[in-house]
Amino acid sequence: MADVKDILVPDIGDFEGVEVIEIIVSPGDSINVEDPLVSLESDKAAMEIPSPEAGTVKDVKVNIGDKVSQGDLLITMEVSASAAAAPEAEETEAAPASAPEATKPAAAQEKPAAPAPAPASTPANRPPPVTPSPVDEAGFRKAHASPSVRKFARELGADLGQITGSGNKGRILKEDVKAFVKKVLTSGTSGGLGVAPMPEIDFSQFGDIETQPLTKINKLTGQFLHRNWVTVPHVTQFDEADITELEAFRKKLNEEHKAEGVRVTVLAFLMKALVSALKEFPRFNSSLDATGENLVLKKYIHIGVAVDTPDGLVVPVIRDCDRKSLTDLASELIEVSGKARDKKLSPADMSGGCISISSLGGIGGTAFTPIVNAPEVAILGVSRAQMKPVYKDGEFEPRLILPLSLSYDHRVIDGADGARFTSFLSKVLSDTRRLLL
Ligand code: CAO
C-alpha cells in the first residue's frame, strides 16, 4: 500500500519568500531519501531541497518563479506503507551526523525529516569535487547556478564561468551546461579537432544517385586511417631511385626462375632495400610507447604490404624480412596478396609490422602521400617507374626512374633523417650490389 505524503519546505533558516529557481523532479520520478527536489534562491545563496522520503513523485505543487517559505507544499509523493511506517529511530540514525539540529523533525508526521539543505557556497558533507584543470575556480564559484547544475557541470568538467545562462536573471540551467559541452566538443576549444560537422545533404536534389553500403574492411580501415591521419603529424619526403640496373637484374632473375613459377617484382627489391635502410636508421624501426615519452626500438624486421582487394585495402605483414632471400620475399608476397584477395588473412597475419610499403607502381601515378600505419612511424609509397632522360657525363641517358614517397611521423623522425633515409634507399636501389649486402 502506498501513502501519499506532502513534502514541505523544511527549515531554511531566516529566509522568507525564497524563489523557486529549478524544479529537479517530475511526476512519476522515483526518488531516494536526500535526492534533490527543487532549488531555491535567496539574495544570498542558492540551495537544494532534498527529499526526506523515498518514493514516487505524484505531483509538483510549485512553479519556477514561485516564492516559498518554510512549511509551504512543494510536492506530493507516494511512499510505500512500509517505508512510511519505518521506525523513527532508524530514520534519525540515517540522518547525516552533521545535519543541523534545526532541520531534524520534531514529529515525522508534521515536519519532513529533511537533511540540511546544502547552500551553493558550502557543499557540506560532500567530498571535494574533482576539478578538471581548465576550470577557472573563481569564475565557477561566482557563476549563477543551482547546486545541482554545479554538480552536473563538475561531473562534465564544464567551466560554469564560461557559460551564459538562459534562465531567469541569467541563471545557468542544466541545458546551458549541455549546450556548452556540445559546443566545446565540436568546436575544438578544449583540444578537440575544431571541425564543423559534415552537413547532411540530400544529393538526389542534384541528380540520380545510388547508395552503396561500405564494406566491413572499408569501415575498419577507414577508422584506422582517420585516427592516424589526425593523430600523427605527417611529413612526406619525395625522392627517386635509378632502377635501370635493378630492372635488368630482375628480368634476368625472373627468366632464370621461370620454371619454378616465382615472379620477382620491384616490390621484393624494395623490401630488401628497406631492410638495409632500417638497419642503417634504427629510429625508423620504432614506435612511440603509450605514454608518448619513450621510443620502443625493434630488433626484428617485419614489413607490412598494402594490398588492394575488391573489398578494400588490407595490410598483411611479412615477418623477419632480414632473414629472407629476394625470391623468398617474392614468393611470400604472392602468397599473402592471394590470401588477402581470398579474404583468408587472420588478424595475426596483419599485426606486428615495423614499417609498411604501399606500392601503386603496378597501376600508375608519379607520387602520393601515404598515411603512416601507426604505431609504425613510417610508410614507403612507391609509384610507377618511368624511363627518363638523366644528365650524366655531359649527355642525357635514358634511365628507369622509380618515384619514392616516404611519409613519416614527425614526432619521431626529423626532416633531415627523412631525407637521409630516402637518399639511402635511392642509393641502395640504384646499385644492386649494395642491395645484396
Ligand atoms: N614501376 C613499374 N612497374 C611496376 C612497379 C613500379 N613501381 N611496381 C610493379 N610494377 C609492375 C610489376 O613488375 C608487374 O609487371 P610484370 O607483370 O611485367 O612483372 C606489374 O606492375 C604488376 O605488379 P603487381 O601489382 O601485380 O605486383 P607488385 O608486387 O608490384 O604488387 C601488390 C603487389 C599486392 C602490392 C599490388 O598488387 C597491390 O595490391 N598494390 C596496391 C596497393 C595499394 O592499394 N596501395 C594503396 C594504399 S593507400 O596508401
Side-chain angles (χ1 to χ4, degrees):
M1 261 281 289
D3 281 356
V4 176
K5 279 201 157 191
D6 290 345
I7 308 296
L8 313 178
V9 177
D11 180 357
I12 49 172
D14 293 336
F15 299 111
E16 284 287 319
V18 184
E19 190 179 342
V20 177
I21 59 163
E22 191 182 5
I23 297 171
I24 301 164
V25 295
S26 310
D29 286 357
S30 283
I31 302 291
N32 290 317
V33 176
E34 283 199 53
D35 279 357
L37 302 173
V38 297
S39 294
L40 307 180
E41 189 180 59
S42 72
D43 295 343
K44 297 198 179 102
M47 65 194 91
E48 276 173 0
I49 304 299
S51 177
E53 304 281 355
T56 306
V57 177
K58 191 163 186 295
D59 214 350
V60 177
K61 298 291 189 187
V62 285
N63 293 308
I64 287 182
D66 285 357
K67 300 271 173 43
V68 294
S69 304
Q70 183 180 350
D72 286 349
L73 178 61
L74 289 175
I75 65 167
T76 55
M77 188 188 273
E78 281 180 350
V79 292
S80 69
S82 57
E88 201 182 313
E90 224 172 72
E91 244 176 89
T92 319
E93 224 170 75
S98 58
E101 205 54 40
T103 64
K104 288 188 183 167
Q109 299 301 324
E110 291 162 15
K111 210 172 168 192
S121 49
T122 55
N125 304 331
R126 286 186 207 162
V130 178
T131 309
S133 49
V135 173
D136 167 33
E137 281 306 316
F140 194 101
R141 268 197 302 277
K142 271 192 224 148
H144 191 188
S146 69
S148 66
V149 170
R150 288 174 180 280
K151 187 166 170 268
F152 183 59
R154 285 280 187 215
E155 280 166 10
L156 299 181
D159 187 352
L160 282 181
Q162 290 184 40
I163 303 177
T164 310
S166 64
N168 194 13
K169 296 181 202 157
R171 193 179 327 101
I172 301 167
L173 308 178
K174 212 169 181 179
E175 283 60 42
D176 299 324
V177 177
K178 282 186 198 165
F180 174 80
V181 171
K182 205 168 171 185
K183 196 174 125 207
V184 167
L185 286 175
T186 52
S187 71
T189 51
S190 189
L193 292 176
V195 290
M198 193 62 77
E200 214 174 293
I201 296 174
D202 173 13
F203 296 100
S204 67
Q205 64 184 305
F206 307 118
D208 284 349
I209 57 162
E210 180 197 329
T211 303
Q212 281 181 359
L214 290 178
T215 64
K216 239 186 198 172
I217 293 180
N218 288 154
K219 284 192 224 166
L220 258 174
T221 45
Q223 280 174 13
F224 289 130
L225 290 169
H226 187 194
R227 180 199 63 191
N228 298 346
W229 178 248
V230 298
T231 59
V232 175
H234 279 74
V235 176
T236 304
Q237 172 70 48
F238 300 107
D239 214 326
E240 290 179 334
D242 181 338
I243 58 163
T244 317
E245 286 169 26
L246 183 152
E247 184 60 6
F249 178 57
R250 186 180 79 87
K251 280 190 174 148
K252 205 162 156 243
L253 206 63
N254 279 343
E255 210 43 55
E256 284 169 13
H257 288 83
K258 211 173 180 175
E260 296 154 43
V262 178
R263 189 174 62 106
V264 181
T265 60
V266 178
L267 199 48
F269 285 90
L270 283 162
M271 293 174 82
K272 270 271 162 205
L274 268 186
V275 167
S276 305
L278 290 181
K279 283 182 178 164
E280 188 76 14
F281 301 93
R283 220 175 155 85
F284 283 75
N285 190 5
S286 74
S287 288
L288 279 169
D289 74 359
T291 65
E293 295 196 359
N294 303 296
L295 262 193
V296 180
L297 292 150
K298 298 157 198 172
K299 307 290 179 192
Y300 50 85
I301 300 183
H302 304 337
I303 299 178
V305 179
V307 178
D308 176 36
T309 77
D311 285 328
L313 176 72
V314 287
V315 188
V317 173
I318 297 183
R319 284 165 207 276
D320 300 315
C321 297
D322 49 331
R323 295 196 222 147
K324 290 177 179 161
S325 71
L326 204 58
T327 45
D328 286 344
L329 293 173
S331 320
E332 236 181 283
L333 262 175
I334 294 166
E335 192 190 317
V336 292
S337 49
K339 241 174 142 182
R341 287 177 183 131
D342 296 341
K343 300 188 202 172
K344 296 222 169 98
L345 289 174
S346 68
D349 291 329
M350 292 182 276
S351 61
C354 302
I355 192 167
S356 293
I357 303 183
S358 175
S359 172
L360 295 174
I363 302 167
T366 53
F368 65 108
T369 53
I371 297 176
V372 172
N373 191 14
E376 297 167 17
V377 296
I379 180 167
L380 180 67
V382 185
S383 299
R384 193 167 190 78
Q386 280 185 321
M387 289 304 285
K388 285 189 176 174
V390 174
Y391 195 66
K392 224 176 175 184
D393 303 327
E395 281 184 33
F396 280 103
E397 263 187 49
R399 308 288 299 178
L400 187 62
I401 304 297
L402 179 74
L404 305 173
S405 308
L406 178 85
S407 291
Y408 56 84
D409 183 339
H410 209 348
R411 293 172 300 180
V412 178
I413 292 158
D414 292 335
D417 282 336
R420 282 187 196 110
F421 191 86
T422 56
S423 298
F424 181 88
L425 272 180
S426 171
K427 206 173 351 161
V428 170
L429 288 164
S430 305
D431 184 349
T432 36
R433 285 166 309 172
R434 285 176 196 270
L435 200 59
L436 300 173
L437 284 177

